[in-house]
Amino acid sequence: MQIKYFQDTDTLLINFNDNFVYETKDINENTLVELDENGNVVSMTFEHAKSVADVNAISYQQLATA
């Protein structure tokens, strides 16, 4: 999984895997979701990312299982 923020275009790209992109869906005018042939999410793109997320405070946390 990779998270990339392109400051010059204010675009946030989240890649969940490297599967082949079969279809792209527009969720709204600023959000795209790419799906593989089985309908699994490959990536999400957010245009004008600062309006939907605090891109300066991205963090990752893996929680232990019991």
Side-chain angles (χ1 to χ4, degrees), residues 40-57:
N40 298 310
V41 176
V42 175
S43 68
M44 295 182 74
T45 302
F46 299 91
E47 301 292 341
H48 306 288
K50 287 182 178 177
S51 68
V52 296
D54 184 359
V55 296
N56 295 317

Side-chain angles (χ1 to χ4, degrees), residues 25-66:
K25 291 189 174 187
D26 293 337
I27 302 302
N28 58 41
E29 67 184 47
N30 296 320
T31 308
L32 303 172
V33 176
E34 294 182 316
L35 307 171
D36 68 14
E37 63 185 355
N38 296 314
N40 298 310
V41 176
V42 175
S43 68
M44 295 182 74
T45 302
F46 299 91
E47 301 292 341
H48 306 288
K50 287 182 178 177
S51 68
V52 296
D54 184 359
V55 296
N56 295 317
I58 294 173
S59 67
Y60 169 78
Q61 189 175 41
Q62 184 171 352
L63 303 175
T65 58

Side-chain angles (χ1 to χ4, degrees), residues 4-16:
K4 297 178 181 176
Y5 176 67
F6 301 90
Q7 190 172 13
D8 59 334
T9 59
D10 191 22
T11 301
L12 181 66
L13 171 64
I14 304 172
N15 284 320
F16 295 96

